[in-house]
Every structure is written in C-alpha cells, then in structure tokens.
Amino acid sequence: MTVIDTDRIRGCLLSGAAGDALGAPVEFDAWPTIERTFGPRGITDYTDRGGFGLGAITDDTQMTLFTLEGLLRARDRGTDPVAEVRAAYLDWFATQGGAVPHRTGDLVTDERLHARRAPGLTCLSALEAIAAGKTAANDSKGCGGVMRVAPVALTAAPEESDRAVFTLAGELARLTHCHPSGWLSAGVFAVMVRCLLTTASVESAVDVGLTVLRESADEHDRVETEQALRAAVALARHGIPHPDDVERNLGGGWTGESALAIAVCAALCAPDLREGVRIAVNHSGDSDSTGSLAGNLLGARDGVAAVPTEWLDSLECRDLIEGLAKRIGG
Ligand SMILES: [Mg+2]
C-alpha cells in the first residue's frame, strides 16, 4: 500500500461505530427477546431502547478512538506506541470515573466520551492497576482487547510487516487482557483489517490472519483462536446462519476469539456491509462488540459509501471520528 486510502479508513471507523451503536440496545438480550421485539430479522436500525439514545456508541468505540489517539501521538512524536496507548487508555479510564495520576490527550476533554455505556469490567480493573503503577494480572480472554485495535491497522506504515501489526495489536490488548485468546484474537483482527484496506476478499484476510497467527504464537496459546476462526469459516459456508447456530457454533462473543469468529462469519457470508453488520449483532451474545468488529472489517473493505446513510446521520461523535480519521492521512 503506497497511498493511504482515506475512504476505507473512514469506512472502517464509522462502520465499526455504527455496528456498535446498532448492537448496543440488544447487548444483553437473548435472541428470542430480540426476535419478539424487532421481528424475524432482528434489530436492523438504531433504536433508543436501552436508554443510551439513538446512534449512541459504547465503550468499544470509545476505546477504539483512544487507541487511535495514542497511536497518532506515538507517530507524530516518534515515541513508543504501547506507552502512548497505555496513557490514552488511562485517559479513557478517567472518562469512566477512574482515578488517574494525570491526563494526557485531547479526547478526554470531550464530555460526550464520559458517558458510561456498560464498560468492560476487565478493562476497568486492569486500568485501575495500571493507574496505580502496576500491570494487569488477570487471565481474562474477554473481547475488550480485540474490540479496540482496528486503529493499529489504520495507522500502520506501508513498510511495516503484517507480523508487526499483529504484535502491536496483541501488545495493546494484553495491557488489559492476559489470556492468549484475549490478545492473539486482537492480533489476528488487526491483520485482517489491514488486509481488507487493500483487498476485497474476507477469505484471503482470514488466510493471512491465520498464517501470521501460526507464525507468531505457539500451538498451546493459539489453539482457541485458530479453532474459532475455522468454526467461523465452516459456519459461513452454509450461508447466513440462524442466531441460534451462531451461538451454538461460535459462542456468545463475550471472549476475544468468539467475538472475532462471529464478526468473521458475518463478514464472510453477508452480501454487503449492512447485512453483515445485521448478522453480527443479532444473536444472544455481546452484540455491540461483534457489531463493531464486523463493521470495522466490512468498512475497511467497502469504504464509507457502503455504510447506510441513516446509520451515519445519527451516529454519536461522528465529527470526532471523522476528525481522527483525517489525522491518519497526516
Ligand atoms: Mg460495549
């Protein structure tokens, strides 16, 4: 990639946020409840059921934006990206009411990001430890690591290897999630987003992600992530899955590898972005995170024009997202 494709970068971020906003009202609902409320296709448009407001983003998008702010700061200053993103996550922790030694960036001053939208408890407790000068010590493989690392792909320099993207995304996830499935899933996801910025094939993005995973992690560590991806590919071969089959085959998306698998399956089997994001949010599991991941993948592939206008029009913090996306181009 020699030219930065700003349309696909914007598409990735905006579509991820839209998937988050679409799924948020049903994050804690089982499929029968979603079906009863919204009909056989489930939720297909924003609703303020759940009380966050129409088009409201959640912690998934908030943390994605803080990841991006940290990475841009590292790039602009030539400083360590992990240290800068750690500082950015402490800023996010401050927005959620956490006590931090100091604030670093600009995003933390935006009051809209101080909304508490069911933030992941693992992220909160890990950041509490980091704020106290310790490191996170947990065995969590929650999806709070993978759901925030798309910006690693978006800010990667053309000469950077996929393996470097994998490693950095994994390190950022590992700041808060110490189980291998919590951070290896993040590495694979970032590599896939990067592939989709330049190719149109989700299949080949899965192949590249699996290859880098095998090259970078030992078998014991990678087994769950690898199996989850294979299950996603297998399920997608049968066409659009019923929500019950999503859960039965891929889990509820609460863990990193399961959320990745649901997003990958949805991206593989859907005819377009809107349908892919719809499939990704309609199941009994962690709908906003899986919607956000599928949105990132398909937005990177298809660009902004593929994101439904009505999703963009009422998307919370759209201006903030657009502003950060613009900075990626320099
Ligand atoms: Mg969320």
Side-chain angles (χ1 to χ4, degrees):
M1 186 170 64
T2 50
V3 177
I4 292 178
D5 190 332
T6 50
D7 177 60
R8 284 176 158 195
I9 287 170
R10 285 175 65 222
C12 174
L13 291 168
L14 290 166
S15 173
D20 180 21
L22 185 70
V26 296
E27 179 181 6
F28 301 109
D29 287 337
W31 168 247
T33 305
I34 299 172
E35 186 182 28
R36 203 164 48 241
T37 311
F38 299 100
R41 282 172 49 79
I43 189 166
T44 57
D45 280 303
Y46 295 159
T47 162
D48 59 6
R49 178 177 174 274
F52 293 157
L54 211 62
I57 58 167
T58 80
D59 57 336
D60 306 67
T61 302
Q62 291 171 350
M63 291 196 79
T64 298
L65 297 181
F66 279 95
T67 302
L68 180 50
E69 185 179 57
L71 291 172
L72 288 171
R73 194 161 55 232
R75 186 187 70 181
D76 295 347
R77 296 180 182 173
T79 44
D80 174 28
V82 178
E84 294 292 3
V85 173
R86 186 193 292 114
Y89 289 163
L90 286 176
D91 278 357
W92 174 77
F93 185 53
T95 69
Q96 304 298 295
V100 299
H102 61 267
R103 298 172 181 207
T104 306
D106 295 328
L107 281 182
V108 67
T109 62
D110 193 310
E111 282 301 320
R112 292 172 296 175
L113 294 175
H114 290 239
R116 271 181 81 100
R117 304 276 166 73
L121 297 180
T122 302
C123 284
L124 292 175
S125 61
L127 290 167
E128 189 174 16
I130 291 170
K134 303 175 212 158
T135 52
N138 61 46
D139 196 33
S140 175
K141 55 176 171 177
C143 69
V146 65
M147 56 73 157
R148 62 185 195 231
V149 297
V152 176
L154 306 183
T155 56
E159 65 275 15
E160 244 173 86
S161 65
D162 287 335
R163 192 153 179 180
V165 169
F166 178 94
T167 302
L168 178 56
E171 283 179 26
L172 298 186
R174 204 174 184 172
L175 288 170
T176 55
H177 290 71
C178 302
H179 189 288
S181 300
W183 52 270
L184 290 174
S185 55
V188 173
F189 176 66
V191 167
M192 286 192 65
V193 171
R194 190 189 204 205
C195 285
L196 288 166
L197 287 170
T198 53
T199 67
S201 166
V202 181
E203 288 83 357
S204 60
V206 174
D207 286 344
V208 176
L210 275 170
T211 301
V212 180
L213 175 66
R214 275 194 295 266
E215 288 169 359
S216 311
D218 70 41
E219 199 173 346
H220 176 266
D221 283 351
R222 71 177 192 243
V223 61
E224 282 182 347
T225 303
E226 207 172 339
Q227 281 174 358
L229 280 165
R230 293 199 187 290
V233 172
L235 185 60
R237 273 198 201 108
H238 299 289
I240 295 173
H242 187 276
D244 291 340
D245 291 328
V246 170
E247 190 172 21
R248 195 173 305 122
N249 290 275
L250 308 178
W254 302 105
T255 60
E257 82 283 7
S258 171
L260 176 66
I262 292 173
V264 166
C265 176
L268 280 169
C269 71
D272 57 29
L273 184 149
R274 180 198 282 264
E275 183 69 349
V277 173
R278 182 195 71 80
I279 295 163
V281 303
N282 281 291
H283 49 75
S284 296
D286 192 355
S287 298
D288 59 340
S289 298
T290 51
S292 154
L293 294 177
N296 286 147
L297 291 171
L298 293 171
R301 185 189 70 180
D302 297 342
V304 189
V307 187
T309 312
E310 67 272 25
W311 290 0
L312 292 174
D313 285 347
S314 46
L315 183 63
E316 185 188 25
C317 297
R318 181 181 177 182
D319 57 322
L320 214 53
I321 298 167
E322 296 270 19
L324 280 164
K326 206 175 247 174
R327 280 183 56 200
I328 295 175

